[in-house]
Amino acid sequence: MISSKERVMNTTPRIESGLNGLDALLGGGLPENSVTLVYGPPKTGKSILCYHFLFRGLLKDEPCLFVMSDYTWNQLSERMMTFNWPIEKYAKDEKIYRIDTVSRLGSKVPKETQTLKISHTENPTDVMLHVSSGARYLYKKFNRFRAVLDSSTSFFLYNPHSLINRVLKSYVLSIKEAGGTGLITYAEGSVDSQTETMLKASVDNLIKLDGEEMHIEAVIGAGRKKASYSIGEKGILLKEISDENSFIAVGLD
């Protein structure tokens, strides 16, 4: 007999994450038209998971709205190339709507274009205006799109926490209303426990990376699962999977 959980997994449309092992774990990928919080300690691969998600979408002709709060566009492009994932041509084809909140701090600020907007983490209202515009732009031009906010931690650092929780709720709503599927990253422990709980409550799915294991804590249509992983020249590699009732050792690309 098929369980209600399996039935939801089988009927919920899925978006490939770009990480084959994770897609297998989730029954085909992340739930379409949902937003997932990817969180955990610093330097555990949260941004790299976003890069997998971004590049797989571009290969499938699915554009991305990308909010950068920890690095500039040039730095993102360089990071992607360390895994041999070139993205410059996709930006020229206007398939990446970039909201850069870091370049304004430097000596050379890029000129804004239709799909490159310059903002600042200390002005989250302006960032959200660009998010809303970008979501509408991608919705009108493409059948589906992806969204990444990497990372929410910087916004919490420079603004009142209650304000950023409201802003992130607005971000989630904007992405979902336009039909997008998104990821938000957050460095665990950066804010107080109450704010962190509110952040988790504002999204649809929760995935935690602790440096050794990826924990599927709450994903629509999927049970609680975990998989050990490593990070190499091809990005994240999942190794062993377990769930609440069993343990399966399996190599996943």
Side-chain angles (χ1 to χ4, degrees):
M1 180 180 291
I2 299 176
S3 68
S4 58
K5 186 182 294 182
E6 290 173 324
R7 195 174 294 114
V8 171
M9 181 179 285
N10 291 336
T11 58
T12 303
R14 300 276 157 174
I15 296 289
E16 293 179 16
S17 69
L19 184 54
N20 294 339
L22 177 58
D23 291 342
L25 203 61
L26 299 177
L30 295 164
E32 186 174 9
N33 196 213
S34 71
V35 175
T36 301
L37 181 68
V38 180
Y39 78 103
K43 309 296 182 182
T44 54
K46 300 182 296 296
S47 292
I48 297 173
L49 179 53
C50 293
Y51 305 160
H52 278 278
F53 182 70
L54 164 64
F55 196 62
R56 179 60 60 90
L58 295 174
L59 293 178
K60 293 178 67 67
D61 202 30
E62 296 170 6
C64 187
L65 190 161
F66 207 110
V67 180
M68 297 162 278
S69 68
D70 288 341
Y71 42 79
T72 66
W73 163 248
N74 287 336
Q75 289 169 332
L76 172 61
S77 182
E78 290 170 3
R79 292 181 181 192
M80 296 287 287
M81 280 306 299
T82 63
F83 303 108
N84 196 28
W85 299 333
I87 57 173
E88 288 287 350
K89 87 177 189 67
Y90 296 101
K92 291 177 181 177
D93 292 340
E94 299 188 340
K95 290 184 178 178
I96 310 176
Y97 193 104
R98 299 154 288 165
I99 303 173
D100 183 340
T101 70
V102 178
S103 288
R104 182 169 285 178
L105 301 174
S107 56
K108 266 183 104 173
V109 181
K111 183 179 179 181
E112 287 193 334
T113 67
Q114 177 68 53
T115 55
L116 173 62
K117 305 302 178 183
I118 306 300
S119 191
H120 199 288
T121 50
E122 293 182 7
N123 190 351
T125 302
D126 182 67
V127 174
M128 276 308 306
L129 288 174
H130 289 310
V131 167
S132 297
S133 297
R136 288 195 300 270
Y137 173 83
L138 295 177
Y139 172 75
K140 290 177 180 178
K141 196 168 182 180
F142 300 90
N143 291 327
R144 56 163 47 158
F145 73 94
R146 301 177 179 222
V148 172
L149 194 164
D150 188 26
S151 114
S152 64
T153 309
S154 298
F155 288 94
F156 282 117
L157 181 63
Y158 292 108
N159 300 278
H161 294 173
S162 58
L163 169 63
I164 298 307
N165 266 328
R166 292 196 299 271
V167 166
L168 291 175
K169 285 182 181 179
S170 179
Y171 171 85
V172 170
L173 186 62
S174 294
I175 298 305
K176 293 175 65 175
E177 283 186 340
T181 303
L183 300 181
I184 299 173
T185 64
Y186 164 71
E188 187 179 23
S190 299
V191 298
D192 61 90
S193 59
Q194 182 179 0
T195 301
E196 201 166 277
T197 298
M198 293 176 65
L199 170 61
K200 292 178 181 178
S202 69
V203 299
D204 304 293
N205 313 301
L206 297 172
I207 296 177
K208 179 178 179 179
L209 279 68
D210 65 14
E212 296 181 354
E213 291 181 327
M214 178 182 294
H215 300 261
I216 310 303
E217 294 190 341
V219 173
I220 297 169
R224 291 177 65 90
K225 303 175 183 179
K226 64 182 179 179
S228 60
Y229 70 94
S230 61
I231 299 174
E233 61 182 15
K234 294 184 179 180
I236 297 174
L237 175 67
L238 296 192
K239 297 177 179 179
E240 297 175 334
I241 296 174
S242 66
D243 59 27
E244 294 175 343
N245 301 312
S246 63
F247 181 86
I248 305 170
V250 55
L252 294 170
D253 295 330

